[in-house]
Amino acid sequence: MALNRRQLFHGALGAGALSALHGRASAQFLNAPRHGLLGTLQDRYEKLDTILGQPVFKRELFKDPVIIESIELLHYKNSWICRVRSKDGHEGISVSNADQMQIFYPVLVKRMAPFFIGKDARDLEDLLEAVTVYASNYKAQSLAIWVPLATIEFAILDMFGKMSNRSIGLLISDKIYNPKINVYQANGERDNSAEEVIEHLQRDLALSHAKAIKFKLGGRMSHVEYPAGRSEKLIPLVRKTFGDEMVISADANGSYTAKQAIPIGKLMQEHKYAFYEEPVPFDWYEETRQVADALEIPIAGGEQEPSMHNFRWLVANGALSITQQDMFYFGGMVRCVRVARMANAFGKQTIPHISATGLGYVYMMHFVSAIPNSGPYHEFKEFNDTLPYKCATSSLRSDSSGVVTVPTGPGLGVDIDPAYIAKHEVVKV
């Protein structure tokens, strides 16, 4: 019998277990009971505060100081690469979110990189906190500081991974929980017919071989949908088309008020959907909880959330069953692991949002590999084919079973062609 959202999740789902769960949508997205959360709200906050105080980065692996000598942002066409070098000759590389970095590059170059120069990179967690105060960066909280900060952090972790011959996952976790990841196929279209969405999902599934799908509802931060009634038609039609064994979810991107969102959620429940993503605008916290209280389907959210403290509220108050922090949008691996740990403390899952450009998909894989409470499926995005690279340990593609292998090489585990990097110029502002 499928478990509902008020049944307690007692253990993490391993990679082998995931493969056996394709046909049980509700049971795969287990979460702590909304109305049976143990202890008082203050007890729950204290538990989460203890978790937030625990280290993430495995500093103990590095006995000697690693002093940062330079942080450079390199640019070529639509590519933004961050290069970190230490005084003793170590180097790390990251590829940023191009869509965001073309706007926020001055923040990295002028407001963040200078702070790290001369610092011991082993103090990464303290530095991530302190740089938000430096030059009053906290006043630009959200994408303006988190995307540049994540870009720097990824390069530092790549450097440490190469120094220790460890993957990024083993720098933020004691073990690899998910060496392979089951993917879901997403469709991001909105202003087209239900029939077109289904046709395009069928086309893309032929490539990804995914056993789960997700599509868009509503009008994206707007209560006006086109064509009118599209969502109400799509929800039953997708289930009818793909059958009972397909795991199906849908994302409203904050399209509804709570009053509008609840009937949509009940229709999803009727057709055994796995989760309901962002039914109301992301910063409508009380309304998110209101929708969660009214429904059995797990509520997912957090891709736009910039605040650790707000995630703390969402978890402690049971507003989310699934946290969806984005590696770039939330400021990097360390911050995202802290949210995953908070979720795990109350039996909730983490299914991170993926930034589409650069190496976002690969950073997501390393993050998922390192957490015990990852969801059973994660979004499939093809790797950036405009980036010349080599990966000795993974094709970075979904195989015939809808599974992607996480790279196991040092650092990111992906080597970018040095000749391509050489085409970039150092950004100066």
Side-chain angles (χ1 to χ4, degrees):
M1 181 175 68
L3 302 178
N4 65 38
R5 69 186 306 277
R6 291 184 171 85
Q7 293 174 290
L8 182 61
F9 175 48
H10 289 289
L13 293 172
L18 298 182
S19 298
L21 290 174
H22 290 322
R24 300 290 183 183
S26 297
Q28 294 179 59
F29 295 88
L30 305 174
N31 60 283
R34 277 274 305 116
H35 299 294
L37 288 171
L38 299 178
T40 65
L41 181 60
Q42 185 59 40
D43 291 336
R44 298 197 292 275
Y45 280 139
E46 288 177 1
K47 182 176 183 177
L48 294 178
D49 288 342
T50 298
I51 290 168
L52 289 172
Q54 296 169 350
V56 175
F57 173 63
K58 303 191 75 60
R59 188 185 194 280
E60 67 274 13
L61 295 173
F62 306 94
K63 304 305 181 185
D64 300 317
V66 181
I67 305 303
I68 297 174
E69 182 174 59
S70 65
I71 294 179
E72 297 172 308
L73 184 64
L74 313 175
H75 178 230
Y76 172 69
K77 294 184 177 179
N78 196 39
S79 172
W80 301 84
I81 291 176
C82 181
R83 181 168 60 202
V84 172
R85 287 172 170 158
S86 71
K87 286 191 174 180
D88 51 358
H90 298 291
E91 180 179 296
I93 293 289
S94 70
V95 179
S96 190
N97 180 303
D99 290 343
Q100 303 301 331
M101 191 53 67
Q102 65 180 335
I103 301 169
F104 298 126
Y105 68 88
V107 177
L108 189 154
V109 175
K110 295 183 68 174
R111 300 272 291 272
M112 290 202 161
F115 171 81
F116 286 88
I117 306 305
K119 305 291 198 307
D120 187 345
R122 297 179 305 164
D123 298 329
L124 178 62
E125 294 193 61
D126 291 336
L127 297 176
L128 295 175
E129 295 290 335
V131 74
T132 64
V133 179
Y134 174 76
S136 296
N137 283 324
Y138 63 89
K139 293 183 178 181
Q141 184 177 184
S142 198
L143 299 183
I145 63 169
W146 296 139
V147 172
L149 184 58
T151 301
I152 292 172
E153 185 215 68
F154 296 156
I156 291 173
L157 289 174
D158 183 56
M159 176 178 70
F160 277 126
K162 291 170 179 173
M163 290 172 61
S164 61
N165 198 32
R166 289 171 172 254
S167 71
I168 286 178
L170 289 174
L171 296 175
I172 57 176
S173 176
D174 291 325
K175 61 180 287 188
I176 296 299
Y177 292 92
N178 304 295
K180 294 180 181 293
I181 297 172
N182 292 312
V183 302
Y184 70 77
Q185 181 64 58
N187 177 277
E189 300 165 326
R190 252 197 180 88
D191 295 331
N192 53 4
S193 70
E195 290 79 9
E196 287 174 311
V197 170
I198 288 172
E199 180 183 345
H200 295 163
L201 276 169
Q202 290 172 324
R203 175 199 63 197
D204 295 339
L205 281 169
L207 298 175
S208 68
H209 308 288
K211 304 299 188 295
I213 57 179
K214 188 178 79 174
F215 61 89
K216 299 292 188 180
L217 298 172
R220 181 182 289 273
M221 296 294 285
S222 167
H223 308 316
V224 179
E225 181 177 39
Y226 179 83
R230 171 182 174 276
S231 295
E232 289 86 347
K233 183 176 182 180
L234 254 176
I235 291 167
L237 188 57
V238 170
R239 173 58 72 197
K240 180 180 179 181
T241 301
F242 292 98
D244 292 340
E245 293 303 303
M246 180 64 75
V247 176
I248 306 173
S249 304
D251 178 8
N253 286 115
S255 294
Y256 305 118
T257 64
K259 184 177 180 179
Q260 293 167 329
I262 290 168
I264 293 290
K266 289 182 177 179
L267 184 60
M268 294 169 71
Q269 287 174 183
E270 178 185 345
H271 293 281
K272 298 180 175 60
Y273 275 52
F275 66 81
Y276 186 5
E277 184 173 340
E278 211 172 68
V280 299
F282 77 92
D283 55 353
W284 290 20
Y285 304 114
E286 292 286 355
E287 289 83 352
T288 299
R289 185 171 64 177
Q290 181 182 346
V291 174
D293 284 343
L295 299 173
E296 293 294 319
I297 186 171
I299 302 300
E303 73 173 79
Q304 306 296 340
E305 180 54 59
S307 167
M308 189 73 70
H309 203 71
N310 288 344
F311 266 122
R312 175 178 175 267
W313 188 96
L314 290 161
V315 171
N317 286 276
L320 293 179
S321 296
I322 299 167
T323 64
Q324 295 182 301
Q325 60 272 33
D326 183 288
M327 304 294 101
F328 277 107
Y329 298 169
F330 195 65
M333 299 275 183
V334 169
R335 285 171 52 82
C336 285
V337 167
R338 288 175 179 156
V339 174
R341 287 178 175 179
M342 287 195 292
N344 193 42
F346 292 101
K348 301 175 186 296
Q349 294 180 343
T350 290
I351 301 176
H353 181 258
I354 307 170
S355 301
T357 64
L359 288 173
Y361 185 35
V362 183
Y363 294 124
M364 179 279 289
M365 287 196 287
H366 282 294
F367 171 73
V368 169
S369 78
I371 60 173
N373 61 321
S374 74
Y377 298 94
H378 297 272
E379 186 170 354
F380 176 77
K381 279 190 169 73
E382 280 286 355
F383 189 70
N384 185 344
D385 287 324
T386 65
L387 196 67
Y389 72 93
K390 292 182 180 178
C391 182
T393 58
S394 173
S395 68
L396 305 178
R397 297 291 195 275
S398 174
D399 66 18
S400 60
S401 299
V403 175
V404 178
T405 299
V406 181
T408 58
L412 185 62
V414 174
D415 296 316
I416 302 168
D417 185 353
Y420 177 75
I421 296 177
K423 294 180 179 180
H424 293 62
E425 296 183 356
V426 176
V427 176
K428 298 183 184 298
V429 294

